[in-house]
Amino acid sequence: MKRALVIILVLALAVSLLAGCGQNASQSSGQNSEKASEQNSGQGKPQGETKAGKMRIALIVKSTGNPFMEKMADGFKTAVEEGGNEAILKAPDQPTAEAQIQMIEELIAQKVNAIAVSANDPDALQPALQKAMKDGIKVLSLDSAVNAESRMVHIQQADPERIGRIQIQAAYEMIGGEGQIAVLSATSQATNQNTWIQWMKEELKDPKYAKMELVKVAYGDDLRDKSVSETEGLLKSYPNLKAIIAPTTVGIAAAGKVLTDKGLKGKVYLTGLGLPSEMAEYIESGVCPWMYLWNPIDLGYLAGCAANALVKGDITGKAGEKFTAGKLGEREVIQVGDGTEIMLGDPFKFDKSNIEEWKNVY
Amino acid sequence: MLVLIFIVINVINSNLSPYYLDAAQLLDATMAFLDKAFIVLPMTFVIILGDIDISVASTVALSAVIMAVTYNHGVSMVLAMIICLLVGTVCGFINGYLIVKFKELSAVIVTLSTMIIYRGIAYIILKDQAAGKFPTWYQFLGWGKIGGIPLILIVFSIFAILFGLLLHKTTFGRRVYAMGNNITACRFSGVEVDKIKVIIYTLTGFMSAVTALFLTSRMGSTRPNVAIGYELDVIATVVLGGVSSAGGKGRIIGPIISVFLIGFLRYGLGLINVPSQELLIIIGLLLIFAVMIPNLKINTKNLKFIK
């Protein structure tokens, strides 16, 4: 009697689980009955292809709740589906490497054909990604790179040197060339932000910046609340602060909010990399005179096209290869440092004159 | 009961995803969740006592950070690993000492304070930076396999057997149960209550440091904010394993099964790409459900009496 009750309850749980997550999980194995025969043939080559002969291409972003990442994933999905393949989108709930490692393991077990990742740590993903490549999975990074040994190619949004230097030049113009500035970054492991900050420091070595001082690099971990408290901390610790540079969309939006609430418009200037839709009010109000970004949708789209080309065998990630990236036209794989990259384009400047037209785009 | 859920989950998983039933992949999957499992073993003792220790995740972070920093200052890796274990042990000992010294403070308050303190120290040491660049052989700890079986699984099995024997086959274990049921009676009958408590908390700290070793090895570097939320995962696992938080009840096998149950559930749902937020909801439901079942059984008994 009790046993029966227990079994009924367990079955009820099972059914609710199936109903709960069966609907929106993008799974290739909806029909259990047909698959049942294959279950015991776990070994062997990646079958990879779904029934329709599609390739399965996965994207792992930095974390959930990051608008930039969501836009990037949209572009990625569009490109993958244009190429006639299936996109799997994954987002960890914390911006950590350990969460991404676990997701990579899951994708290897699913025998996907390609994994694109925006890394929370350049080196920590290496063992997992190398394991994937050994299993014949194509690996690429975008936005935030993994080290050259753990990828075939990286999709670079814009020349990191340009991105870093241009933000210091912007701050220089805003504050008239003298005063304290601070940087509000994402996580301390973020590959892309760290590269840009290096170039910022490089630019600051120019004698023309003799009167400008970078007092601190703070880390908001791409979490809204931590970015807000880090900004408040900066303002408290450095009452003479003249500018904040936030090379991350979550950070710049949080800093814009804090500066607006504290009525520091015109006292502390804000610049960096932000989404026009989120930053429109601060650009219009003058809290952030201007900022830069590229199109995250296009960045995701380019990565999706590159992934399509990789699984089809059009490119292998060697320098000098060319492929057609859908609506973006032809792109070339170039050698940068130890690894190869595909460039999206230059950073784009958003200010009062053009924010109106862009704020509804992304 | 738990075994039943475990089997059901495995059956569901294999139905949901054709990729699930693959022995090698399943073994690999254990690497992803076994790091926390080391803390589950001593935590079972703590919960049987009727206490709780929520400082374990901070202990993990502090041990890992100190290990990385000492290694980066030129200490050999082996010594740094020993230092890591020592740090964890000391953290655990401090918890135990405070709890027995100040009887008017409950365990939850003491470990809440040390949870904040330990992570605070880790932040002071490293600020927001990461530390790492460990030697290559250290990676073997988290990623290595011996004869196809992950090293972490082997080590966990050894610890599981040791803790199981300690709880079920020794006087020490029997006294832990007795203390969980009635600590005052134990004190009057001459059981060294305080000593046993300190030993258990120290063990918990030590095992947190073991977790730190494996976690850091998998990550390749460490930061002050690693292992956030581990304490709740660990406590959830123990409770799901049928150990009553009121103390005095439960067997070590329960939490061990539930480690694998939650682990494979996460893995299986990950395989069909369930978004991470929904995954948390499902695990929460499972917890409530598993804790509810034994109580439902009691109700049916009562119903029979009425009939």
Side-chain angles (χ1 to χ4, degrees):
Chain A
M1 149 76 212
K2 270 183 285 177
R3 181 48 53 103
L5 179 82
V6 168
I7 291 174
I8 288 165
L9 278 168
V10 170
L11 285 176
L13 173 82
V15 171
S16 67
L17 276 182
L18 281 170
C21 60
Q23 289 162 355
N24 50 5
S26 65
Q27 33 171 314
S28 57
S29 54
Q31 292 71 25
N32 299 336
S33 51
E34 287 177 49
K35 288 281 174 187
S37 56
E38 291 178 19
Q39 272 171 30
N40 298 325
S41 61
Q43 301 78 10
K45 287 274 162 287
Q47 301 150 348
E49 297 182 22
T50 56
K51 289 192 190 65
K54 282 182 178 178
M55 299 284 194
R56 292 155 70 241
I57 297 173
L59 169 71
I60 304 175
V61 300
K62 280 185 174 182
S63 64
T64 50
N66 181 331
F68 181 92
M69 291 286 147
E70 282 159 17
K71 298 275 186 287
M72 199 173 79
D74 287 347
F76 185 86
K77 191 164 186 266
T78 310
V80 168
E81 283 167 0
E82 273 178 19
N85 297 322
E86 183 193 342
I88 299 169
L89 306 174
K90 282 186 158 257
D93 50 353
Q94 289 287 330
T96 61
E98 59 236 70
Q100 290 188 317
I101 290 173
Q102 191 155 358
M103 291 191 159
I104 295 166
E105 297 257 8
E106 284 161 6
L107 291 168
I108 294 174
Q110 289 181 57
K111 302 183 168 53
V112 295
N113 303 84
I115 298 174
V117 59
S118 176
N120 286 324
D121 185 304
D123 301 316
L125 304 183
Q126 188 171 336
L129 289 175
Q130 282 180 336
K131 189 169 146 191
M133 289 197 275
K134 221 169 57 200
D135 286 6
I137 297 171
K138 312 284 188 234
V139 175
L140 61 153
S141 57
L142 67 156
D143 176 60
S144 186
V146 290
N147 63 29
E149 284 86 59
S150 5
R151 64 173 208 235
M152 293 172 165
V153 70
H154 171 63
I155 312 298
Q156 185 65 269
Q157 51 275 73
D159 183 0
E161 181 176 350
R162 286 280 317 275
I163 300 174
R165 289 183 187 273
I166 211 167
Q167 291 177 71
I168 291 291
Q169 289 156 8
Y172 176 86
E173 273 180 65
M174 285 175 196
I175 66 177
E178 60 180 284
Q180 296 182 327
I181 58 167
V183 171
L184 173 66
S185 184
T187 60
S188 63
Q189 324 278 97
T191 327
N192 48 349
Q193 268 90 7
N194 284 350
T195 317
W196 301 330
I197 292 167
Q198 294 255 278
W199 282 112
M200 288 181 199
K201 289 176 175 165
E202 203 55 44
E203 174 76 7
L204 281 167
K205 287 177 183 164
D206 189 315
K208 105 177 192 196
Y209 300 106
K211 290 183 177 160
M212 263 169 73
E213 186 199 0
L214 175 59
V215 287
K216 187 174 175 177
V217 179
Y219 298 96
D221 289 0
D222 264 353
L223 301 169
R224 178 118 189 146
D225 52 347
K226 188 163 188 251
S227 303
V228 166
S229 58
E230 287 291 334
T231 310
E232 288 170 341
L234 284 173
L235 297 170
K236 272 206 189 66
S237 316
Y238 305 100
N240 297 327
L241 198 66
K242 284 278 181 294
I244 294 175
I245 300 175
T248 161
T249 55
V250 178
I252 196 172
K257 176 104 181 64
V258 173
L259 295 179
T260 307
D261 291 349
K262 291 196 181 296
L264 290 167
K265 186 184 102 183
K267 292 194 187 63
V268 181
Y269 292 96
L270 174 67
T271 188
L273 308 171
L275 281 169
S277 54
E278 285 190 319
M279 293 298 292
E281 59 172 303
Y282 308 124
I283 290 184
E284 281 158 6
S285 75
V287 166
C288 168
W290 69 89
M291 60 165 196
Y292 299 89
L293 198 66
W294 42 89
N295 188 328
I297 305 170
D298 285 352
L299 179 63
Y301 184 86
L302 180 57
C305 293
N308 287 338
L310 279 170
V311 295
K312 264 176 72 182
D314 294 350
I315 58 169
T316 56
K318 283 196 184 64
E321 292 172 329
K322 287 190 174 69
F323 71 105
T324 312
K327 61 175 194 209
L328 296 172
E330 191 171 83
R331 294 290 154 133
E332 192 182 353
V333 183
I334 52 169
Q335 186 76 30
V336 178
D338 307 338
T340 54
E341 295 183 353
I342 300 166
M343 278 287 181
L344 177 67
D346 271 341
F348 185 84
K349 181 173 170 178
F350 295 98
D351 56 17
K352 274 185 186 155
S353 67
N354 64 8
I355 192 72
E356 197 57 41
E357 57 176 302
W358 283 105
K359 72 177 183 192
N360 299 322
V361 182
Y362 61 88
Chain B
M1 169 66 222
L2 207 61
V3 178
L4 205 70
I5 297 187
F6 184 66
I7 293 168
V8 167
I9 282 179
N10 278 303
V11 170
I12 296 173
N13 277 341
S14 50
N15 270 333
L16 282 178
S17 174
Y19 309 107
Y20 183 77
L21 276 184
D22 176 344
Q25 290 285 11
L26 274 181
L27 279 176
D28 278 6
T30 59
M31 288 186 187
F33 59 81
L34 272 184
D35 55 358
K36 298 173 198 172
F38 293 106
I39 317 177
V40 167
L41 301 168
M43 187 63 86
T44 306
F45 283 66
V46 174
I47 305 241
I48 287 174
L49 279 182
D51 277 4
I52 201 155
D53 182 348
I54 50 176
S55 70
V56 287
S58 301
T59 309
V60 172
L62 184 58
S63 329
V65 162
I66 290 184
M67 172 173 75
V69 170
T70 47
Y71 173 72
N72 290 344
H73 279 80
V75 178
S76 78
M77 191 65 216
V78 177
L79 191 58
M81 285 161 77
I82 293 167
I83 289 172
C84 169
L85 293 174
L86 276 177
V87 170
T89 312
V90 169
C91 286
F93 177 78
I94 293 172
N95 280 340
Y97 184 77
L98 288 175
I99 287 166
V100 299
K101 199 77 193 157
F102 303 100
K103 295 239 176 348
E104 57 277 11
L105 292 176
S106 66
V108 71
I109 302 297
V110 172
T111 54
L112 177 68
S113 328
T114 53
M115 161 179 138
I116 298 165
I117 294 168
Y118 296 158
R119 204 177 281 280
I121 298 171
Y123 268 109
I124 290 170
I125 294 172
L126 265 190
K127 308 219 165 32
D128 255 318
Q129 293 305 315
K133 301 273 180 286
F134 296 109
T136 337
W137 62 261
Y138 176 61
Q139 247 188 29
F140 186 79
L141 212 55
W143 292 92
K145 290 185 199 174
I146 297 175
I149 298 169
L151 176 68
I152 189 167
L153 185 60
I154 297 171
V155 177
F156 175 71
S157 307
I158 294 168
F159 274 120
I161 292 165
L162 287 178
F163 274 87
L165 291 176
L166 183 65
L167 184 61
H168 295 304
K169 296 282 180 243
T170 61
T171 336
F172 182 87
R174 276 205 305 282
R175 287 188 176 150
V176 173
Y177 278 111
M179 282 164 66
N181 279 318
N182 191 337
I183 195 148
T184 325
C186 282
R187 197 168 278 129
F188 283 124
S189 49
V191 176
E192 288 170 313
V193 172
D194 290 354
K195 195 172 145 192
I196 290 179
K197 266 200 182 189
V198 173
I199 290 174
I200 288 177
Y201 279 99
T202 311
L203 271 178
T204 310
F206 173 77
M207 292 306 271
S208 303
V210 173
T211 291
L213 285 181
F214 280 96
L215 177 68
T216 314
S217 166
R218 263 185 87 76
M219 297 269 302
S221 71
T222 192
R223 303 176 60 192
N225 65 356
V226 289
I228 278 194
Y230 270 31
E231 66 281 326
L232 297 178
D233 288 348
V234 167
I235 291 164
T237 308
V238 175
V239 173
L240 184 64
V243 179
S244 162
S245 50
K249 273 198 199 68
R251 298 172 56 81
I252 195 102
I253 190 74
I256 293 174
I257 293 175
S258 94
V259 163
F260 288 95
L261 190 151
I262 294 183
F264 284 141
L265 177 71
R266 271 177 176 270
Y267 174 69
L269 293 175
L271 277 187
I272 53 164
N273 303 312
V274 175
S276 38
Q277 298 94 330
E278 289 175 33
L279 219 153
L280 296 174
I281 295 174
I282 291 166
I283 289 174
L285 284 174
L286 185 77
L287 251 180
I288 293 180
F289 181 80
V291 176
M292 207 169 66
I293 286 276
N295 301 329
L296 278 179
K297 281 184 189 169
I298 294 163
N299 285 344
T300 52
K301 266 187 204 152
N302 293 348
L303 284 179
K304 273 183 196 158
F305 275 120
I306 295 164
K307 279 172 191 168

